[in-house]
Amino acid sequence: MRVLVTGGAGFIGSHVVEALTASGAAVRVIDALLPSAHPAGRVPDLPAGVHFVHGDVRDPVAVEAALADVDVVCHQAAMVGLGTNLDDAPMYAGCNDVGTAVLLAAMGRTGTARLVLASSMVVYGEGRYLCATHGEVVPRPRDPAALRRGSFEPPCPRCGADLAPGLVDESARTDPRNVYAATKLAQEHLSASWSRVTGGVAAVLRYHNVYGARMPRDTPYAGVASLFRSALERGEAPRVFEDGGQRRDFVHVRDVAAANAAAVEWTVGAPAASVRTFNVGSGVPHTIGEMADALAAAHGGPSPVVTGDFRLGDVRHVTACSRRAHTELGWQAAIPFEAGIAEFAALPLRR
């Protein structure tokens, strides 16, 4: 099987390349080595036999050339994180949505009919919440005044009572609450349109909070695990926003890579014009504060500082139910939180 991995030099993409190569696939990588993800501009070490193309998914000529003789595309290339402010919106839309549109158009021209798309849990917005009186409810957008008062938990939109967070599955409504989230959902819609027009097959993987080896150093576009790890490397205490009680599902990057390999295999037997969405998470929620504490303890650095700061585009709780991936892909996260964090604490970040 011949697989093109876009963004295959990046944090997640490079692990996907390794997993696919180990499964026997012939792998080609296209990556623009953007400074936001590759400050040094260096190509990382890739497994023997992997063909690297320095190109941008927004370039139709480079993409069509990279697609030659490819059976499956594993689309990892994207801008990630919340960015710094709304001025980042054109860059996010360009990298994520224009890049995906250019890729899908080229796949249509070349007849490449199978796709694995890296999406994100951010498309859900807030996760699943239950009110004791009104059942399942969707919280309203976050109130800046309440956040400034230190009131971080979303109340029931009908009665104002406290809510109980739960696991969100793929049937949940989508409700993107920041620019990055909007671009990831647009990628999903573009892929569904491609599937309908061409009869192609798409597996959409909604990653939860991925961490592990080769995370980039501290940048405005890094994930929270990278920000905490970068602080510890500088000898500083990790700065935890809000009260640290935000619930997330931290999933190790090697588990995410294995999910991609399983999804590639799934596309082989799926009926034409199939689009299927899969959560990729551990299924075991942890708070941001717990993760910061575990990382600091494993690294032997300063204890985290809870700041009370907030970002309006964040959500309070979102954690995964990944039962569908287990049932249909035969995939399940295998690396426990404690072991994964201990490993991550000892590894250098990518420069």
Side-chain angles (χ1 to χ4, degrees):
M1 186 184 304
R2 297 171 297 257
V3 185
L4 174 65
V5 181
T6 72
F11 164 46
I12 297 175
S14 62
H15 287 275
V16 171
V17 168
E18 290 177 350
L20 290 171
T21 303
S23 74
V27 179
R28 183 180 300 151
V29 167
I30 183 169
D31 199 302
L33 301 178
L34 296 178
S36 57
H38 301 272
R42 294 194 299 263
V43 181
D45 293 333
L46 295 170
V50 173
H51 178 213
F52 178 78
V53 177
H54 187 193
D56 196 308
V57 290
R58 294 168 291 186
D59 178 353
V61 175
V63 170
E64 190 159 336
L67 283 169
D69 301 319
V70 163
D71 301 307
V72 189
V73 173
C74 205
H75 184 30
Q76 308 293 320
M79 284 291 300
V80 300
L82 289 185
T84 56
N85 54 49
L86 199 57
D87 288 337
D88 284 332
M91 181 169 56
Y92 276 97
C95 289
N96 296 356
D97 299 337
V98 174
T100 298
V102 169
L103 172 66
L104 294 171
M107 290 174 67
R109 291 192 299 273
T110 59
T112 311
R114 290 188 274 146
L115 171 70
V116 176
L117 173 68
S119 187
S120 170
M121 56 86 181
V122 295
V123 302
Y124 294 120
E126 290 286 355
R128 182 170 181 260
Y129 290 88
L130 292 175
C131 171
T133 303
H134 297 108
E136 190 166 336
V137 296
V138 177
R140 295 191 180 100
R142 304 187 91 185
D143 177 8
L147 296 172
R148 284 192 292 270
R149 293 193 304 269
S151 180
F152 302 117
E153 293 292 341
C156 175
R158 298 178 63 183
C159 68
D162 293 341
L163 298 174
L167 300 183
V168 61
D169 66 20
E170 295 86 351
S171 66
R173 57 173 283 182
T174 53
D175 183 21
R177 297 196 173 193
N178 56 61
V179 168
Y180 170 59
T183 65
K184 296 308 287 185
L185 186 57
Q187 286 185 302
E188 294 192 15
H189 289 314
L190 288 166
S191 300
S193 297
W194 162 82
S195 175
R196 286 191 292 270
V197 170
T198 66
V201 173
V204 177
L205 305 184
R206 289 176 175 165
Y207 301 161
H208 284 249
N209 285 68
V210 187
Y211 72 96
R214 298 181 213 138
M215 289 195 89
R217 290 180 62 84
D218 190 0
T219 80
Y221 311 99
V224 66
S226 176
L227 296 175
F228 291 167
R229 180 66 182 78
S230 295
L232 289 164
E233 195 162 296
R234 296 190 302 268
E236 300 171 3
R239 293 177 59 81
V240 178
F241 278 17
E242 302 182 19
D243 60 0
Q246 311 94 299
R247 286 160 55 100
R248 296 292 187 269
D249 185 324
F250 295 99
V251 58
H252 196 279
V253 67
R254 288 199 300 274
D255 282 330
V256 172
N260 275 271
V264 165
E265 291 298 327
W266 176 89
T267 66
V268 174
S274 298
V275 179
R276 193 68 165 155
T277 302
F278 301 94
N279 281 340
V280 177
S282 71
V284 182
H286 290 276
T287 68
I288 297 285
E290 288 171 348
M291 192 273 283
D293 286 337
L295 190 57
H299 188 270
S303 297
V305 174
V306 177
T307 67
D309 294 339
F310 63 89
R311 298 185 297 182
L312 195 58
D314 275 334
V315 297
R316 181 62 177 175
H317 304 298
V318 58
T319 51
C321 172
S322 298
R323 186 180 301 112
R324 178 183 292 178
H326 180 53
T327 302
E328 299 183 22
L329 301 182
W331 171 87
Q332 192 167 8
I335 299 173
F337 175 80
E338 294 77 10
I341 291 294
E343 176 194 82
F344 178 52
L347 293 173
L349 293 165
R350 192 174 76 238
R351 297 181 183 271

